[in-house]
Amino acid sequence: MFSKACEYGIKATIYIAVKSMRQERVSLKEIAEEVDSPVAFTAKILQSLAKSGIIDSHKGPTGGFQIDESKIDTIKLHDIVHAIDGDKIFVGCGLGLEQCDASQPCPVHDKFVGIRDNLKIMLENTSLYELATGLEIGLTHLKR
């Protein structure tokens, strides 16, 4: 459902949030290793997240990535998805057709609209803090 870039971006943001809650910055290489993503691809994703104001990038010997701790609870999963994939997941056809709407639906249109609406609600109501806390206390993990 999400692009590969979006999957990596969600995982990277959660990882950065966990480190930020410990007042730690994290390097590009460490993030790429932790989310099992190529370094160059991870760099492009992190650049999008920084441009959107979700993460902060710091250069220099003590540089790295972090998220302002006061923002971790206000950032929603929807913000991350939107920064990387835009709104296409909420408006696109379930089968990828160029023309698909209620007047000319694809075979899965009616069912997909409900799924898409529920997904949007979940993304808008899930905070980065909630996801990072699950990871921090060991209830969830980013790779197997």
Side-chain angles (χ1 to χ4, degrees):
M1 200 156 231
F2 299 118
S3 69
K4 197 52 116 171
C6 193
E7 290 175 13
Y8 290 142
I10 291 168
K11 291 192 276 186
T13 305
I14 295 168
Y15 184 70
I16 295 166
V18 168
K19 291 294 199 170
S20 295
M21 291 188 313
R22 298 178 193 161
Q23 283 78 47
E24 297 175 26
R25 288 185 183 157
V26 59
S27 71
L28 169 61
K29 184 178 178 189
E30 183 180 342
I31 295 165
E33 287 174 6
E34 193 62 32
V35 303
D36 205 19
S37 169
V39 173
F41 192 40
T42 304
K44 284 182 66 175
I45 295 165
L46 296 177
Q47 184 178 32
S48 295
L49 292 167
K51 280 184 180 177
S52 296
I54 294 171
I55 64 172
D56 298 317
S57 173
H58 301 275
K59 298 181 189 285
T62 60
F65 296 91
Q66 69 181 63
I67 300 170
D68 185 321
E69 214 174 341
S70 67
K71 291 180 7 182
I72 293 174
D73 194 40
T74 63
I75 296 170
K76 302 296 183 190
L77 197 47
H78 177 273
D79 301 323
I80 301 165
V81 171
H82 186 266
I84 298 167
D85 281 351
D87 282 336
K88 67 183 175 190
I89 194 168
F90 306 116
V91 296
C93 171
L95 295 179
L97 302 178
E98 290 287 324
Q99 295 283 357
C100 177
D101 56 34
S103 65
Q104 292 184 318
C106 74
V108 299
H109 179 81
D110 293 333
K111 294 186 183 290
F112 191 70
V113 167
I115 292 167
R116 189 172 53 207
D117 291 345
N118 287 334
L119 176 64
K120 186 173 186 177
I121 291 167
M122 184 275 294
L123 294 174
E124 289 172 342
N125 290 299
T126 303
S127 74
L128 180 56
Y129 178 80
E130 177 184 342
L131 299 173
T133 302
L135 184 64
E136 177 74 2
I137 62 175
L139 291 176
T140 60
H141 47 276
L142 294 176
K143 62 182 180 179
R144 305 229 173 231

